[in-house]
Amino acid sequence: MSKKQYNTEDQAPMTVGEPAVAYGNASAKTSPDDGWNPNVPFHGTQEEWWEHFHQIEQGHFTPLEEANREFEAWKKAYLASRLT
């Protein structure tokens, strides 16, 4: 997504008690390589949201039937390992 800067001069400064500030400070340690942190709210334009959705759609996709088969195989192996 674009790194657009928004004018926030008319807003009161955020305090450390607000989630965006607290998670923003912690995101350097916990965020993935792309810089996205699910705990920090994202505010963007409609075009930025559509761009975000299209990036997700271009990523890895597993059909539901295949995912269910993989899960059942994992569950079977996991339960068998718990019994031994």
Side-chain angles (χ1 to χ4, degrees):
M1 283 185 231
S2 65
K3 301 288 185 191
K4 194 179 286 186
Q5 296 294 322
Y6 294 97
N7 185 4
T8 58
E9 293 174 4
D10 58 339
Q11 297 176 354
M14 292 203 287
T15 63
V16 177
E18 294 186 50
V21 174
Y23 287 116
N25 293 339
S27 66
K29 298 180 282 186
T30 60
S31 66
D33 293 336
D34 63 0
W36 180 73
N37 184 341
N39 298 317
V40 176
F42 171 74
H43 301 284
T45 64
Q46 182 177 6
E47 291 80 21
E48 290 172 328
W49 278 105
W50 280 113
E51 180 184 339
H52 178 68
F53 296 147
H54 291 304
Q55 287 176 351
I56 292 171
E57 291 170 347
Q58 292 172 357
H60 178 71
F61 176 76
T62 304
L64 180 60
E65 294 80 16
E66 182 181 338
N68 286 339
R69 281 193 305 271
E70 291 174 0
F71 173 73
E72 290 299 327
W74 170 85
K75 186 172 71 170
K76 184 178 179 181
Y78 176 75
L79 292 175
S81 71
R82 299 279 298 174
L83 294 175
T84 58

